[in-house]
Amino acid sequence: MHLLHDPEAPAAELIDFDTFLKVDIRIGTVVSAEPFAKARKPSHILMIDFGPAIGTKKSSAQIAVNYAPDDLVGRQVAAVVNFPPRQIGPVMSEVLTLGFADDAGEVTLFAPDKAVPNGSRLF
C-alpha cells in the first residue's frame, strides 16, 4: 500500500498554522462527471462548481471504483483549489479532489455531512 494510503503510517512532519492556511480547501458541487477512459487508473473527469469567487473547475479524480458518474452529479466534494493546474494525460486538472483510502486502497470522497454553500473554506 502507498505510504499516503497506509493507516499505519506515522503522522507527517509538524507544520505551523500559517503553512496550513496556505492550502485552500473548498467545497463544491459536482455539476458533471464522465469516465476518463485514457487514465491509467479508474478515474472520472469532474466539473465542480465552487461558487462565484472560484467558479467551476475541472478535476481528474481516481474514484471510478467506488463511484459511478451518475452518482456524483449534485454531490458536494472537498478539493484543494490553489494548486497549479496539472496535466493528467490529455486532461488539465485544475483542482485536487480529496478523499481517503478505503480498506481496499480505493478512494472514498471527503465531504461535509450537511450541505454547505459552494466555495466554503475548510478551517
Side-chain angles (χ1 to χ4, degrees):
M1 183 177 280
H2 189 277
L3 184 61
L4 290 176
H5 305 149
D6 182 0
E8 301 296 322
E13 68 182 76
L14 293 177
I15 61 171
D16 61 34
F17 192 68
D18 289 336
T19 301
F20 168 74
L21 289 177
K22 290 179 183 179
V23 180
D24 193 354
I25 300 172
R26 305 280 181 122
I27 288 296
T29 299
V30 177
V31 294
S32 71
E34 61 185 59
F36 185 6
K38 294 184 179 184
R40 287 182 296 151
K41 294 185 178 182
S43 303
H44 295 313
I45 299 168
L46 309 178
M47 294 302 295
I48 306 168
D49 177 7
F50 292 98
I54 305 290
T56 300
K57 301 291 182 182
K58 184 184 295 184
S59 180
S60 168
Q62 294 177 354
I63 59 173
V65 171
N66 285 332
Y67 302 94
D70 291 344
D71 297 332
L72 293 165
V73 175
R75 180 186 183 107
Q76 287 195 303
V77 297
V80 177
V81 299
N82 66 329
F83 285 155
R86 183 173 176 197
Q87 191 74 42
I88 310 291
V91 172
M92 184 63 72
S93 189
E94 300 174 294
V95 299
L96 175 66
T97 303
L98 300 176
F100 293 94
D102 63 15
D103 288 339
E106 301 298 338
V107 178
T108 299
L109 291 168
F110 179 55
D113 61 357
K114 295 193 317 187
V116 297
N118 286 340
S120 293
R121 186 172 179 176
L122 180 76
F123 62 92

